[in-house]
Structure formats: C-alpha cells, structure tokens
Amino acid sequence: MIVDLRSDTVTRPTPEMYDAMTRAELGDDVLGDDPTVIQLEDLAAAKMRKEAALFVPSGTMGNQVAVRTWIKPGEAVILEQDSHIQFYESGGISAHAGAMTWALPSKNGVMDPADVRGRVTAGNIHTPATQLLCLENTHNRAGGTTIPLETMAEFRKIADENGMKVHLDGARIFNAATYLSVPAAEMAKYADSVMFCLSKGLSCPIGSLIAGPAEFIERARWNRKRLGGGLRQAGVLAACGVFALNNLVDRLADDHRRAREFAEHLNTIPGISVDMSGQQTNIVGATTDGAAVEWQSSLEEGGVRCFATGPNRLRFVFHREIDDERLARAKEAVSAIRKELSSAH
Ligand SMILES: *Cc1c(COP(=O)(O)O)cnc(C)c1O
C-alpha cells in the first residue's frame, strides 16, 4: 500500500466525476457557449459572492492572469516572501505581468499589516506604484495556515487607503473556510479577486477558478486566451468542478482531523517535530533534526511519500484518498524509520 502524502493534487476523480464527465453538456468555451463551463463559473461566482468567475487550467495560470489583469508592467505588488506567486510560479508575474515585487516576511504565512503599510510606494519619478496586494489563504509553504478575518480586514483597509487592489490566492480557500468555520465568501469579501483550485482537496483532475468584478473577469478572459489557456470542450472538466463544489467541500474537515492526528504522532517521535500552533488544516509541516531528504527517502522505502521542502523541512498533505487505514500505515512507517535511524547511529 502506497500512502501518497506529497500533495492533495494527487487525488484522482471520483466515480461520480467520471459519470458527470460522460453526461456533461458541451460546447466550445472559447466561443463562450459551453453550458457546463458557464454553470461552473456561475456556481463559483455565487460561492465567492462575486459578479463573475472564469475557469482556468491551473491555479498558477489563475494567479498569473489575475496579476496581469490588475497591473501594468513596472508596477509593484506586495506579497509574502514564501507565497506561491513569489516562490512557486517560475518567476511568472515578472515575465507575464512585468510586476516588481515587494516580498515581505511573515509569521505562519501572515504578514504584519504594519510591514505592508510601510512598503506601499507611490508611483513617482523614484518609486514604483504599488497597485496590488496578494494574500495567500491557506498558506502553502507555511503549512496550511489561515489568515484571521480581522487581519484580512486590516489588509483591506490598507489597500483602500492606498488605492490598491487585493488578490487572494485561495488555492485552498475551502480548507481555510473549514478551519475558520465561515463560508468562503467571508474571506473572499476582503479581496477584489480570488483564485481557488478544484484540483487539490476537491479532487478534480484539472482546473481552478478566478472570481471578481464582471469587468475584471472580462479582461481576464482576454489575458487567459493570450496565455493559451482558452479550452474548447472544457465542460468535461467543469462537470467535475460542479460536483466537487456541491459535494466534496464538507469532507475537508476529515483531512484536517487526520493531519492533526498525524502531527501529534510525529511529536511523540524523537528527531522530528511539528509546531502545533501552525497545525490548522490539511498540511503538516515537520522539522527534522537530520537531513529532510534522508527522512523522505527512508519513508519512500516504507511506502509513504512526502516532500522535503527545505533542508530540515518535510511536508505531508492529507486528502480524500487518505483514509484512517492509510493514516495508521503512515504513522507506523514514521515510527519504523525512527527505529532504523537510531540503530544506525
Ligand atoms: C497549488 C497552489 C497554486 C497553484 O496551483 P496549480 O494548479 O498547481 O498551478 C497556487 N497557490 C497556492 C497557494 C497553491 O498551493
């Protein structure tokens, strides 16, 4: 049995999704007449309480398109230094949007509002115009941590005072909503645009959405086409998204419970630890005494897959395909590795 904790993106479509794919009414989405894509976009806009939404092939493209749509080349974006947009998108916003970034540190993925306020530069002969604030909720590299709603409100206020837009990278916004026990729209309301992924905990094979004002989405559609992200019978994918949004959001709490149980188990094992103050959702970020890559390869031999995200950092992500049996298997595997490592020393 392989227990794949590398990412929640490894989740495969459910039987109901295959069924929905075969039944989906299709059109040509570049021509604007795929009814299933339209249904998904309307549903996504309603969930985020925004005027409109746009289906995109990936979360990365969603973020790229959003930033590109909000700013002009040479303008500045404030974001967290380990955010997905800054760290994991191959320098895309510099290439696609011509953005310059003010990348700020954070605690558990949450920037200090005072730092954000202090970094806003006015567009003049010396400094770039800071036009956009990007937030990430939950924060991937920080270990699935959420931004408290009061802090979201503070960020909104800073943006309004400075004539800036706010883009929320909510790849896992439903995990955040589950943890904070609020509808996702309660977080999205502090942002002008929001991106969320269908292909992570929601188990879809492909796809993300961006939601925002109708006028923004219209320009985003043009930017998506420009990047080659216009898809034809995309309704086969959208059908999975409709199913996921209607049926797979409530079960995310199970992933959070299993992640916490696993994190607590790691804390009973010498040489590996998890800071429980950041243990909120489906990602477990562990610190190892020895090299994380050694833990990773030993675990792999034991049938448990994870990622080393730093010299002493391991990441385990819980998702729909990890049931209680696989959780138990993963716990056993870490205990066994530990015995192996200590007998070798
Ligand atoms: C995964 C992720 C993305 C990008 O999604 P892809 O579909 O893999 O391109 C964006 N932001 C965050 C925070 C993510 O975790």
Side-chain angles (χ1 to χ4, degrees), residues 9 57-61 63 84-85 89 136 138-140 169 171-172 195 197 199-200 208:
T9 56
S58 70
T60 300
M61 191 186 284
N63 284 333
H84 198 279
I85 297 179
E89 298 188 4
E136 187 169 313
T138 65
H139 194 290
N140 182 335
D169 176 348
R172 295 185 180 83
M195 184 286 286
C197 293
S199 55
K200 294 197 165 152
S208 294

Side-chain angles (χ1 to χ4, degrees), residues 61-71 132 167 193 195 210 216 220:
M61 191 186 284
N63 284 333
Q64 296 293 314
V65 164
V67 176
R68 173 71 190 87
T69 305
W70 284 128
I71 69 150
L132 182 66
H167 171 68
S193 59
M195 184 286 286
I210 49 181
F216 163 84

Side-chain angles (χ1 to χ4, degrees), residues 17 27 51 84 108 183 198 243 248 268:
M17 286 182 191
E51 284 175 5
H84 198 279
N108 280 344
L198 298 169
F243 175 80
L248 298 181
T268 67

